[in-house]
Amino acid sequence: MAPRARRRRLLPVLLALCALLCPLQVTFQITPPCASRRHYERFGRCCNKCEPGTYMSSKCTTTSESVCLPCGPDEYLDTWNEEDKCLLHKVCDTGKALVAVEPGNRTAPRRCACTRGYHWSEDCVCCRRNTDCAPGFGVQHPVQLNKDTVCQPCLAGYFSDTISSTEECKPWTNCTILGKTEVRHGTDTSDVVCSPWPPTKLPNERGIYLPTLTLLLLFASVVFVAAVIFGVYYRKKGKALTANLWHWVNEACGRLSENKEM
Ligand SMILES: *[C@@H]1O[C@H](CO)[C@@H](O)[C@H](O)[C@H]1NC(C)=O
Ligand SMILES: *[C@@H]1O[C@H](CO)[C@@H](O)[C@H](O)[C@H]1NC(C)=O
């Protein structure tokens, strides 16, 4: 019972202390020196600056705060300010190869950059055409907007046959993938040249030649074997055969002559 009672008595005391100190804290934060970026000093007091996107139409007085008004449609202010007017957005002139990369709004300026193929040059304070890379050289990627091209020699297996400020080295054509054969090697300035006909035709030609050749060989071997067999047979039974032949011829002739006589 006793501690609870003590707490009950403490609570109003704490509340009263806070009620006294809390407003004090706020005044302490604002009044001392005008240290904050968001305030300015005038007539010995600290006044509010205007937030980004607004300008100060009238400064504070001893009795009134600053009056801030929003920037116009093509204007901006990107800081806490005491400006009496907003800044105009710049024009990204396409005639000077400029393009808006950030459109800008009331709180941020419009940002221009050189269009593709151009880079900003501090020498002329203008956009300059990007350097062309000669054949055998390609543009290093990624091409950075607003940066001049960096040319690098084409590595083995790559080529560039054009004068260009945008093109990379291209890989040589792979004839194998196209189902063709390579008839000329590639260089750093020229592509590989593939045969205009696919090599798939060669097996077709072989398809025509091969059976013909096989048939011819087969025929030749048959003739050869027949000749050998005939030769062997003739040598062994040559005499008998001739005798048989003579016998048959004589018989035939005899019959013929008999017929004639009849
Ligand atoms: C204004 O533009 C800036 C930069 O493009 C962007 O960060 C900001 O959010 C924009 N503010 C508004 C209100 O659209
Ligand atoms: C062509 O492509 C094939 C299959 O991807 C690969 O094996 C071969 O090495 C390539 N040839 C050349 C010359 O790049």
Side-chain angles (χ1 to χ4, degrees), residues 101-165:
V101 283
E102 275 175 29
N105 49 39
R106 286 201 169 109
T107 57
R110 179 176 297 151
R111 293 191 190 282
C112 305
C114 300
T115 49
R116 206 177 129 79
Y118 290 81
H119 64 278
W120 185 254
S121 166
E122 286 298 340
D123 300 341
C124 67
V125 197
C126 70
C127 293
R128 273 227 172 101
R129 260 196 92 85
N130 288 349
T131 307
D132 282 325
C133 298
F137 291 82
V139 173
Q140 192 178 57
H141 268 241
V143 172
Q144 283 173 294
L145 197 67
N146 248 5
K147 291 270 169 66
D148 195 7
T149 45
V150 177
C151 301
Q152 58 183 5
C154 297
L155 301 171
Y158 291 83
F159 77 102
S160 167
D161 55 1
T162 52
I163 299 168
S164 166
S165 64

Side-chain angles (χ1 to χ4, degrees), residues 5-159:
R6 225 176 276 160
R7 258 184 236 159
R8 266 186 214 151
R9 252 178 276 141
L10 258 168
L11 206 70
V13 175
L14 277 169
L15 279 171
L17 257 171
C18 191
L20 269 172
L21 287 172
C22 291
L24 259 177
Q25 234 176 327
V26 172
T27 37
F28 263 127
Q29 271 178 355
I30 293 172
T31 18
C34 278
S36 168
R37 290 189 300 115
R38 300 182 177 188
H39 298 101
Y40 65 103
E41 214 179 309
R42 193 166 156 89
F43 303 131
R45 59 177 288 222
C46 262
C47 300
N48 293 328
K49 282 189 180 178
C50 291
E51 63 173 359
T54 64
Y55 71 99
M56 204 169 285
S57 76
S58 51
K59 299 206 179 239
C60 64
T61 62
T62 44
T63 54
S64 67
E65 233 335 318
S66 329
V67 178
C68 302
L69 289 177
C71 292
D74 201 35
E75 299 173 337
Y76 76 98
L77 271 176
D78 52 357
T79 53
W80 284 83
N81 66 86
E82 298 169 60
E83 307 294 334
D84 60 356
K85 58 178 183 289
C86 297
L87 297 169
L88 257 179
H89 278 299
K90 57 177 150 189
V91 177
C92 301
D93 190 349
T94 47
K96 287 176 180 164
L98 284 164
V99 67
V101 283
E102 275 175 29
N105 49 39
R106 286 201 169 109
T107 57
R110 179 176 297 151
R111 293 191 190 282
C112 305
C114 300
T115 49
R116 206 177 129 79
Y118 290 81
H119 64 278
W120 185 254
S121 166
E122 286 298 340
D123 300 341
C124 67
V125 197
C126 70
C127 293
R128 273 227 172 101
R129 260 196 92 85
N130 288 349
T131 307
D132 282 325
C133 298
F137 291 82
V139 173
Q140 192 178 57
H141 268 241
V143 172
Q144 283 173 294
L145 197 67
N146 248 5
K147 291 270 169 66
D148 195 7
T149 45
V150 177
C151 301
Q152 58 183 5
C154 297
L155 301 171
Y158 291 83
F159 77 102

